[in-house]
Amino acid sequence: MKVFVTRVIPEEGRKLMIDAGIEVQEWKEKRALSKEELIAHTRDCDALLSVSTRLDKDFLHASRHLKVIALHSVGYDNVDVEAATAVKIPIGNTPGVLSGATADTAFLLMLATSRKAFHMHKSIIKGEWGFFDPTANLGIELRGKTLGVFGLGKIGLEMAKCCIGAFGMQVIYHNRNRNETAEKELNASWVSFDELLEQSDVLTVHTALTPETEGKFDRSAFNKMKPHSIFINTARGAIHNEPDLLSALLKKKIWGAGLDVTNPEPMHPDHPLLNMPNVSVLPHIGSATEETRAAMSVLAARNIIAGLKGERIPFVVNPDVYK
Ligand code: DGY
């Protein structure tokens, strides 16, 4: 049995597959594969372990011989899941293990943005650390403020816990369905989307990218937010409209933004958001810790091993494939 892996993954996951008797063929070049290369490389493989690779209908139809596809991510917005189900390929993801690390990244962006930390660091490098001015370089405080979570699932819950623990923040959230566990654990209140916009001092996005959430944070949404609010997105860049975000910051409709995800990725180095004092941008590193990436590789490997044994994969995103 042979698996094609679209990037080099942590040793922990690779070893698990090798120990299970699977031949592991990794794409070692530091560039993304084209669709044609992906089809060619998976042609003689039984499974695919996909890292940040778009798997569209064409690919899935051309690769219907695959017994399983394991994603090295919790998000599966870059896969045509419906097409995979139609050709009977189970798709697996890596839920749970990256919640802490991703929430840490959101927390880091919130704090860094509130104190303009990335901008201050750049200004020291540019030799701009001048005389001490008590009215310059002022940030805003987070203590006792209201955290609004858009998508209170596992990652949002971890972010909320950090914000309550560190700053005693009040938590409000907007989900399609109420999260009663979080309401009990965090004393969080469900609010409508408009109330979330109007009441949050920090609004943090932790939802999946779907047709309903795509472009959700646009001009009209930013216009409803508080002028002193901070917008944080560690989920997917397409959930916010980037030109509208830039304009909201320039017009002081909101105070700041922290992004681990942009639209497109990578963000162009000349992008005006990168030169704004109240904006912090990271290159999609939400889950990038040694511990979390190792754990993700293990879950992906478990999906591959089960799929190749003909068993139900443990973290399936398209359970209909088994009907
Ligand atoms: C995820 O797991 O979805 C991360 O964003 C990496 O893509």
Side-chain angles (χ1 to χ4, degrees):
M1 293 284 185
K2 187 162 150 189
V3 59
F4 182 67
V5 187
T6 64
R7 309 266 160 107
V8 175
I9 59 163
E11 181 55 29
E12 287 83 349
R14 185 185 316 114
K15 185 168 178 321
L16 210 59
M17 293 188 284
I18 293 169
D19 290 350
I22 299 167
E23 186 186 336
V24 177
Q25 189 189 323
E26 281 175 323
W27 175 254
K28 295 207 164 105
E29 287 188 37
K30 296 278 182 205
R31 65 169 180 87
L33 291 140
S34 68
K35 194 187 337 185
E36 292 68 35
E37 287 172 323
L38 187 61
I39 292 174
H41 282 279
T42 45
R43 193 162 287 140
D44 66 336
C45 289
D46 309 287
L48 171 67
L49 197 160
S50 173
V51 189
S52 297
T53 307
R54 176 157 295 283
L55 307 177
D56 64 9
K57 200 172 182 175
D58 291 347
F59 167 78
L60 291 158
H61 279 242
S63 308
R64 52 178 72 223
H65 65 282
L66 293 174
K67 294 192 169 60
V68 55
I69 295 178
L71 308 177
H72 201 273
S73 63
V74 67
Y76 46 88
D77 47 280
N78 57 3
V79 182
D80 187 335
V81 175
E82 210 179 300
T85 309
V87 295
K88 296 268 173 233
I89 304 177
I91 306 287
N93 70 342
T94 63
V97 292
L98 45 71
S99 307
T102 309
D104 294 349
T105 306
F107 187 83
L108 158 70
L109 286 167
M110 174 184 73
L111 191 48
T113 302
S114 75
R115 301 302 296 271
K116 307 181 184 174
F118 289 18
H119 170 73
M120 298 301 163
H121 181 79
K122 280 190 283 180
S123 73
I124 295 172
I125 296 169
K126 285 193 254 166
E128 290 169 1
W129 188 347
F131 86 139
F132 181 82
D133 177 352
T135 62
N137 301 337
L138 305 185
I140 49 177
E141 296 196 15
L142 300 165
R143 228 160 250 99
K145 298 262 169 93
T146 297
L147 176 76
V149 185
F150 184 62
L152 186 59
K154 291 191 177 80
I155 302 173
L157 188 80
E158 291 301 322
M159 170 64 168
K161 282 185 193 163
C162 290
C163 294
I164 293 169
F167 297 119
M169 294 173 84
Q170 318 295 319
V171 179
I172 57 175
Y173 75 100
H174 181 75
N175 281 11
R176 261 182 317 182
N177 301 312
R178 291 181 71 145
N179 183 336
E180 281 169 21
T181 317
E183 289 185 18
K184 278 196 201 108
E185 260 187 58
L186 311 173
N187 201 20
S189 314
W190 184 93
V191 291
S192 68
F193 183 60
D194 276 0
E195 286 168 334
L196 189 83
L197 298 170
E198 288 157 8
Q199 294 173 21
S200 300
D201 295 304
V202 176
L203 200 162
T204 185
V205 177
H206 297 289
T207 189
L209 173 63
T210 64
E212 292 79 48
T213 62
E214 184 164 4
K216 187 86 177 163
F217 290 86
D218 58 5
R219 190 164 73 100
S220 122
F222 292 125
N223 280 347
K224 291 180 184 147
M225 288 175 66
K226 292 183 183 179
H228 262 73
S229 62
I230 294 177
F231 174 76
I232 303 292
N233 190 358
T234 54
R236 287 290 182 267
I239 297 172
H240 64 253
N241 177 309
E242 222 141 85
D244 288 357
L245 173 62
L246 176 63
S247 153
L249 287 159
L250 289 170
K251 292 182 181 153
K252 302 199 186 314
K253 298 283 180 194
I254 65 171
W255 190 86
L259 306 176
D260 184 45
V261 289
T262 62
N263 188 18
E265 290 179 9
M267 179 177 257
H268 194 280
D270 292 333
H271 198 291
L273 281 172
L274 293 170
N275 282 319
M276 299 184 78
N278 305 356
V279 176
S280 319
V281 183
L282 290 173
H284 203 144
I285 56 153
S287 62
T289 65
E290 291 183 15
E291 296 87 342
T292 292
R293 287 285 163 82
M296 289 168 75
S297 75
V298 167
L299 294 202
R302 285 178 56 198
N303 278 331
I304 294 289
I305 294 166
L308 289 181
K309 280 188 189 157
E311 295 169 359
R312 184 186 171 99
I313 63 171
F315 308 101
V316 64
V317 304
N318 57 342
D320 283 356
V321 82
Y322 294 115
K323 277 187 183 158

Short mmCIF file of all heavy atoms in Angstrom, two decimals, residues 67-69 84-92 302-323:
data_model
loop_
_atom_site.label_atom_id
_atom_site.label_comp_id
_atom_site.label_asym_id
_atom_site.label_seq_id
_atom_site.Cartn_x
_atom_site.Cartn_y
_atom_site.Cartn_z
N LYS A 67 -8.34 5.14 -1.83
CA LYS A 67 -9.18 4.52 -0.79
C LYS A 67 -9.49 5.51 0.33
O LYS A 67 -10.45 5.36 1.06
CB LYS A 67 -8.48 3.30 -0.22
CG LYS A 67 -8.32 2.18 -1.24
CD LYS A 67 -7.88 0.89 -0.55
CE LYS A 67 -7.98 -0.28 -1.49
NZ LYS A 67 -7.14 -0.12 -2.70
N VAL A 68 -8.62 6.51 0.48
CA VAL A 68 -8.83 7.51 1.54
C VAL A 68 -8.00 8.75 1.23
O VAL A 68 -6.91 8.64 0.62
CB VAL A 68 -8.44 6.92 2.94
CG1 VAL A 68 -7.02 6.38 2.97
CG2 VAL A 68 -8.62 7.95 4.06
N ILE A 69 -8.51 9.90 1.63
CA ILE A 69 -7.73 11.15 1.59
C ILE A 69 -7.73 11.71 3.00
O ILE A 69 -8.80 11.93 3.59
CB ILE A 69 -8.33 12.18 0.61
CG1 ILE A 69 -8.27 11.64 -0.83
CG2 ILE A 69 -7.60 13.52 0.72
CD1 ILE A 69 -8.89 12.57 -1.87
N ALA A 84 -16.05 14.26 -3.54
CA ALA A 84 -15.36 13.11 -2.91
C ALA A 84 -16.38 12.06 -2.49
O ALA A 84 -16.17 10.86 -2.69
CB ALA A 84 -14.55 13.59 -1.71
N THR A 85 -17.50 12.52 -1.91
CA THR A 85 -18.54 11.58 -1.46
C THR A 85 -19.12 10.85 -2.68
O THR A 85 -19.35 9.64 -2.63
CB THR A 85 -19.64 12.34 -0.68
OG1 THR A 85 -18.99 13.13 0.32
CG2 THR A 85 -20.61 11.38 -0.01
N ALA A 86 -19.31 11.60 -3.76
CA ALA A 86 -19.89 10.99 -4.97
C ALA A 86 -18.99 9.89 -5.51
O ALA A 86 -19.48 8.89 -6.03
CB ALA A 86 -20.13 12.07 -6.03
N VAL A 87 -17.67 10.06 -5.39
CA VAL A 87 -16.77 9.00 -5.89
C VAL A 87 -16.33 8.06 -4.76
O VAL A 87 -15.39 7.29 -4.92
CB VAL A 87 -15.56 9.58 -6.68
CG1 VAL A 87 -16.02 10.27 -7.94
CG2 VAL A 87 -14.71 10.51 -5.82
N LYS A 88 -17.03 8.16 -3.63
CA LYS A 88 -16.85 7.22 -2.50
C LYS A 88 -15.47 7.28 -1.87
O LYS A 88 -14.91 6.24 -1.47
CB LYS A 88 -17.16 5.78 -2.95
CG LYS A 88 -18.60 5.56 -3.38
CD LYS A 88 -19.41 5.11 -2.18
CE LYS A 88 -20.90 5.02 -2.46
NZ LYS A 88 -21.76 5.74 -1.55
N ILE A 89 -14.89 8.47 -1.80
CA ILE A 89 -13.60 8.58 -1.10
C ILE A 89 -13.84 9.24 0.26
O ILE A 89 -14.31 10.38 0.33
CB ILE A 89 -12.57 9.44 -1.89
CG1 ILE A 89 -12.36 8.89 -3.29
CG2 ILE A 89 -11.23 9.49 -1.12
CD1 ILE A 89 -11.41 9.74 -4.15
N PRO A 90 -13.51 8.54 1.36
CA PRO A 90 -13.63 9.19 2.67
C PRO A 90 -12.55 10.26 2.84
O PRO A 90 -11.39 10.06 2.47
CB PRO A 90 -13.43 8.05 3.69
CG PRO A 90 -12.87 6.91 2.93
CD PRO A 90 -13.07 7.13 1.46
N ILE A 91 -12.97 11.41 3.38
CA ILE A 91 -12.03 12.51 3.65
C ILE A 91 -11.89 12.62 5.16
O ILE A 91 -12.91 12.67 5.88
CB ILE A 91 -12.59 13.86 3.12
CG1 ILE A 91 -12.96 13.77 1.63
CG2 ILE A 91 -11.64 15.00 3.39
CD1 ILE A 91 -11.79 13.72 0.69
N GLY A 92 -10.65 12.68 5.64
CA GLY A 92 -10.42 12.82 7.09
C GLY A 92 -9.75 14.14 7.41
O GLY A 92 -8.98 14.67 6.59
N ARG A 302 -3.44 8.28 11.22
CA ARG A 302 -4.47 7.32 11.68
C ARG A 302 -5.60 7.22 10.66
O ARG A 302 -6.15 6.14 10.43
CB ARG A 302 -4.99 7.74 13.05
CG ARG A 302 -3.98 7.44 14.17
CD ARG A 302 -4.49 7.91 15.51
NE ARG A 302 -5.79 7.35 15.85
CZ ARG A 302 -6.60 7.86 16.79
NH1 ARG A 302 -6.25 8.92 17.48
NH2 ARG A 302 -7.77 7.29 17.04
N ASN A 303 -5.95 8.35 10.05
CA ASN A 303 -6.99 8.31 9.01
C ASN A 303 -6.52 7.47 7.83
O ASN A 303 -7.28 6.67 7.26
CB ASN A 303 -7.33 9.73 8.56
CG ASN A 303 -8.32 10.42 9.49
OD1 ASN A 303 -9.15 9.77 10.13
ND2 ASN A 303 -8.24 11.74 9.58
N ILE A 304 -5.25 7.65 7.43
CA ILE A 304 -4.72 6.89 6.29
C ILE A 304 -4.71 5.39 6.61
O ILE A 304 -5.16 4.56 5.80
CB ILE A 304 -3.27 7.36 5.94
CG1 ILE A 304 -3.27 8.80 5.43
CG2 ILE A 304 -2.58 6.39 4.96
CD1 ILE A 304 -3.87 9.01 4.06
N ILE A 305 -4.20 5.05 7.79
CA ILE A 305 -4.05 3.63 8.15
C ILE A 305 -5.43 2.94 8.16
O ILE A 305 -5.61 1.87 7.57
CB ILE A 305 -3.32 3.48 9.51
CG1 ILE A 305 -1.87 3.98 9.36
CG2 ILE A 305 -3.34 2.04 10.01
CD1 ILE A 305 -1.14 4.20 10.68
N ALA A 306 -6.39 3.59 8.82
CA ALA A 306 -7.73 2.98 8.89
C ALA A 306 -8.32 2.85 7.48
O ALA A 306 -8.88 1.81 7.13
CB ALA A 306 -8.64 3.84 9.77
N GLY A 307 -8.18 3.91 6.67
CA GLY A 307 -8.76 3.88 5.32
C GLY A 307 -8.15 2.77 4.47
O GLY A 307 -8.85 2.09 3.72
N LEU A 308 -6.84 2.57 4.62
CA LEU A 308 -6.19 1.54 3.81
C LEU A 308 -6.52 0.13 4.30
O LEU A 308 -6.44 -0.83 3.54
CB LEU A 308 -4.67 1.76 3.78
CG LEU A 308 -4.23 2.98 2.94
CD1 LEU A 308 -2.72 3.12 2.94
CD2 LEU A 308 -4.77 2.89 1.52
N LYS A 309 -6.93 0.04 5.56
CA LYS A 309 -7.36 -1.28 6.08
C LYS A 309 -8.82 -1.55 5.71
O LYS A 309 -9.37 -2.58 6.06
CB LYS A 309 -7.26 -1.29 7.61
CG LYS A 309 -5.86 -1.52 8.15
CD LYS A 309 -6.00 -1.71 9.66
CE LYS A 309 -4.66 -1.73 10.35
NZ LYS A 309 -4.80 -1.36 11.77
N GLY A 310 -9.46 -0.56 5.09
CA GLY A 310 -10.87 -0.71 4.73
C GLY A 310 -11.79 -0.44 5.92
O GLY A 310 -12.98 -0.76 5.89
N GLU A 311 -11.23 0.16 6.99
CA GLU A 311 -12.06 0.48 8.16
C GLU A 311 -12.61 1.89 8.03
O GLU A 311 -12.09 2.70 7.25
CB GLU A 311 -11.19 0.41 9.44
CG GLU A 311 -10.67 -0.97 9.73
CD GLU A 311 -9.61 -0.97 10.84
OE1 GLU A 311 -9.27 0.11 11.36
OE2 GLU A 311 -9.12 -2.06 11.15
N ARG A 312 -13.63 2.22 8.84
CA ARG A 312 -14.15 3.58 8.89
C ARG A 312 -13.04 4.47 9.47
O ARG A 312 -12.44 4.14 10.49
CB ARG A 312 -15.38 3.62 9.80
CG ARG A 312 -16.06 4.96 9.84
CD ARG A 312 -17.19 4.94 10.89
NE ARG A 312 -17.70 6.28 11.06
CZ ARG A 312 -18.81 6.73 10.49
NH1 ARG A 312 -19.54 5.95 9.75
NH2 ARG A 312 -19.20 7.99 10.68
N ILE A 313 -12.75 5.58 8.83
CA ILE A 313 -11.66 6.42 9.33
C ILE A 313 -12.13 7.19 10.57
O ILE A 313 -13.29 7.56 10.68
CB ILE A 313 -11.09 7.37 8.23
CG1 ILE A 313 -12.14 8.37 7.74
CG2 ILE A 313 -10.52 6.55 7.08
CD1 ILE A 313 -11.54 9.44 6.82
N PRO A 314 -11.22 7.41 11.53
CA PRO A 314 -11.68 7.97 12.82
C PRO A 314 -12.17 9.41 12.76
O PRO A 314 -13.00 9.80 13.55
CB PRO A 314 -10.45 7.84 13.72
CG PRO A 314 -9.29 7.57 12.84
CD PRO A 314 -9.81 6.97 11.58
N PHE A 315 -11.65 10.22 11.85
CA PHE A 315 -12.04 11.64 11.83
C PHE A 315 -12.59 11.98 10.45
O PHE A 315 -11.96 12.69 9.66
CB PHE A 315 -10.83 12.52 12.20
CG PHE A 315 -10.19 12.07 13.47
CD1 PHE A 315 -9.01 11.32 13.45
CD2 PHE A 315 -10.78 12.36 14.70
CE1 PHE A 315 -8.44 10.87 14.63
CE2 PHE A 315 -10.21 11.91 15.89
CZ PHE A 315 -9.04 11.17 15.85
N VAL A 316 -13.76 11.43 10.16
CA VAL A 316 -14.32 11.54 8.81
C VAL A 316 -15.15 12.83 8.69
O VAL A 316 -15.89 13.18 9.61
CB VAL A 316 -15.15 10.29 8.47
CG1 VAL A 316 -16.38 10.13 9.36
CG2 VAL A 316 -15.54 10.25 6.99
N VAL A 317 -14.96 13.56 7.59
CA VAL A 317 -15.76 14.78 7.39
C VAL A 317 -16.96 14.51 6.47
O VAL A 317 -17.87 15.33 6.42
CB VAL A 317 -14.93 15.97 6.86
CG1 VAL A 317 -13.76 16.28 7.76
CG2 VAL A 317 -14.49 15.79 5.43
N ASN A 318 -16.96 13.41 5.76
CA ASN A 318 -18.09 13.07 4.88
C ASN A 318 -18.64 11.68 5.22
O ASN A 318 -18.50 10.73 4.45
CB ASN A 318 -17.68 13.17 3.39
CG ASN A 318 -16.49 12.28 3.03
OD1 ASN A 318 -15.74 11.84 3.91
ND2 ASN A 318 -16.34 12.02 1.75
N PRO A 319 -19.27 11.56 6.42
CA PRO A 319 -19.74 10.25 6.86
C PRO A 319 -20.71 9.59 5.89
O PRO A 319 -20.86 8.36 5.88
CB PRO A 319 -20.42 10.54 8.22
CG PRO A 319 -20.62 12.01 8.27
CD PRO A 319 -19.60 12.63 7.38
N ASP A 320 -21.35 10.39 5.01
CA ASP A 320 -22.29 9.83 4.03
C ASP A 320 -21.61 8.81 3.11
O ASP A 320 -22.29 7.99 2.48
CB ASP A 320 -22.88 10.94 3.16
CG ASP A 320 -23.95 11.71 3.91
OD1 ASP A 320 -24.26 11.31 5.05
OD2 ASP A 320 -24.45 12.71 3.36
N VAL A 321 -20.29 8.89 3.03
CA VAL A 321 -19.55 7.97 2.17
C VAL A 321 -19.72 6.52 2.64
O VAL A 321 -19.59 5.58 1.85
CB VAL A 321 -18.05 8.41 2.13
CG1 VAL A 321 -17.26 7.91 3.33
CG2 VAL A 321 -17.37 8.05 0.84
N TYR A 322 -20.08 6.35 3.90
CA TYR A 322 -20.24 4.99 4.44
C TYR A 322 -21.69 4.48 4.36
O TYR A 322 -21.97 3.40 4.82
CB TYR A 322 -19.75 4.94 5.89
CG TYR A 322 -18.25 5.17 5.99
CD1 TYR A 322 -17.73 6.28 6.63
CD2 TYR A 322 -17.36 4.26 5.43
CE1 TYR A 322 -16.35 6.49 6.72
CE2 TYR A 322 -15.98 4.46 5.49
CZ TYR A 322 -15.49 5.57 6.15
OH TYR A 322 -14.14 5.77 6.21
N LYS A 323 -22.57 5.29 3.79
CA LYS A 323 -23.99 4.86 3.76
C LYS A 323 -24.22 3.82 2.67
O LYS A 323 -23.58 3.88 1.62
CB LYS A 323 -24.88 6.07 3.51
CG LYS A 323 -25.15 6.80 4.82
CD LYS A 323 -26.18 7.90 4.62
CE LYS A 323 -26.40 8.66 5.91
NZ LYS A 323 -26.95 10.00 5.66
#
